[in-house]
Amino acid sequence: MKEKICEKYFQNKVKPKHLSKFKSETPKGNTIEGYISRKPNQYLGSLVITHITEKTGKSYDTEQFVQSFPKIHYWDKRHQLKSDNGQVIYHCQEKLDGTCLILYSLIDDMGRQIEIVPKTRGQAVADPHIQDMFRLIDKKAIEEFFKNPVHLKDVLMFELFGVLNKHEITYMDTYIDINLIGAYIDEEFLNYISIHCYSDFDDFKKPDSIFVIEKYPDDNSFSVRWCDENKKYNKNNVTTNDKFPTLHDAIQEVKVMLEEINKKYFEYNGRRAIEGVVINGEYINGGQMYLKIKPKDIELEARQLDSVPRRFVLKEVQKYFDEFGSKVPELYEVDETHYVKYVNRQLSEEFTYEQIQDPRTRRRIKNVFMEVWDSKIPPQSLQNICDDLVRQNPDAGITELMKIFAKSYPSKKSQSRHVYNILTAIQKRQ
């Protein structure tokens, strides 16, 4: 089965070992089953749905491919944009700091839409806490798009961001919103120009274009131009009149300009303004590729330290909770290293094996994970927790109660001594 799926839907660019089986419930109570790709390439997070059980009880086999948002790469030997003879225009759009949200139509055995399903990179159906935020979004343009039968098998990719979905960058003027960052139409990814010219996307918000990298047919060099229509960072406008011999050199200049934007913003606001930019451009070997560019200082910080700084760890831990939020307790009980493996994979894009395996990094990952987990548990005093433990386990001694506490509240392990003292006091009263 997996071999057939890899050949038919993934052109053998995904191996059977990269496919994980899933069974998920959609927002409207339908159940879908199938396989999801874990390969970090253009098929990262893509699905093949093989079975549907509708809320009505109707159940049937199916085969529906759902393209996810591809892996965004840094420029390296394997991942480069086309820059040969002819005109080159690459728009550098703001890399919004939130959660990648992919929307697709779930199709029944008669070829009709059952519902519009939101998913994230690692899940076939977005976690409930992501769904809760998505419910607050104005979906008129989305519903109009998917209402058109020609878009039944198409996929839209958004970034879900704002104060409600805070990561590293704070968007004080946005409570929660989505911007269109990609579209898979008629089995092809649309490039930047196509998305902006496609009339069906006129009512969709899109990330700002901060810079444009250009080269014209009669010119042998590249230039980096500030987008005049961008008003978000106009107070932090940085310009360059230099010409660059290669696209790679122009990209290095963008890194420097992003650093300058953040420096100017930091002077007045005490925080970074922008995480980076993304180019939706033409891959050197054909097809579309997303290339990410981050500020120069962030890149240097990743290279110069022996261990991984806390803020980088926090970012990846937050992504983990974006993907697995409601499933974290269950995953942790089955495998206490599940989150560690996920975070290590994410960090490996920017940090070396030695930096990730440094004892300080390993301790930092565990501590940050527990802090984030604890912050997501509804507030409850230790006294109330102990009272509940004793009430629910009246015949258990302190040793047994401590075991139950450790299993039920792993993120509060650092407070075990206080719990022990409270349980001892309760026992004395009895």
Side-chain angles (χ1 to χ4, degrees), residues 10 60 110 153 158 179 275 330 361 363:
F10 300 113
Y60 46 88
M110 302 297 290
K153 296 181 179 180
F158 297 88
N179 274 196
E275 185 190 18
E330 176 187 342
T361 300
R363 287 195 300 271

Side-chain angles (χ1 to χ4, degrees), residues 345-377:
R345 276 198 308 272
Q346 297 292 112
L347 291 174
S348 65
E349 286 188 60
E350 299 184 62
F351 297 90
T352 65
Y353 175 83
E354 289 73 21
Q355 287 174 304
I356 295 170
Q357 292 303 315
D358 186 285
R360 289 166 293 181
T361 300
R362 293 165 68 180
R363 287 195 300 271
R364 199 166 285 141
I365 291 172
K366 181 177 180 180
N367 292 338
V368 170
F369 173 75
M370 292 300 177
E371 289 171 17
V372 173
W373 191 0
D374 194 42
S375 71
K376 295 182 180 296
I377 297 173

Side-chain angles (χ1 to χ4, degrees), residues 1-17 19 35:
M1 179 68 166
K2 284 187 175 183
E3 288 78 6
K4 174 191 169 187
I5 287 174
C6 289
E7 181 179 357
K8 183 175 180 180
Y9 296 103
F10 300 113
Q11 287 74 55
N12 287 320
K13 294 180 180 178
V14 173
K15 306 290 186 185
K17 67 179 181 180
L19 294 182
Y35 296 91

Side-chain angles (χ1 to χ4, degrees), residues 30 35 38 113 143 160 203 221 232 265 268 313 379 406 420:
N30 302 295
Y35 296 91
R38 303 298 183 189
Q113 183 192 88
E143 291 170 354
L160 178 71
D203 295 325
S221 58
K232 187 173 182 180
Y265 190 85
Y268 298 99
V313 172
Y420 180 86

Side-chain angles (χ1 to χ4, degrees), residues 9-53:
Y9 296 103
F10 300 113
Q11 287 74 55
N12 287 320
K13 294 180 180 178
V14 173
K15 306 290 186 185
K17 67 179 181 180
H18 296 129
L19 294 182
S20 297
K21 207 164 188 178
F22 72 82
K23 183 176 182 179
S24 304
E25 184 176 304
T26 68
K28 291 191 176 181
N30 302 295
T31 300
I32 58 175
E33 300 176 52
Y35 296 91
I36 182 170
S37 171
R38 303 298 183 189
K39 178 76 172 178
N41 60 7
Q42 70 265 40
Y43 293 115
L44 177 64
S46 296
L47 314 174
V48 176
I49 301 170
T50 59
H51 192 82
I52 297 175
T53 301

Side-chain angles (χ1 to χ4, degrees), residues 119-132:
K119 74 178 291 299
T120 49
R121 288 298 243 320
Q123 301 293 317
V125 179
D127 196 75
H129 81 285
I130 298 293
Q131 293 183 39
D132 288 343

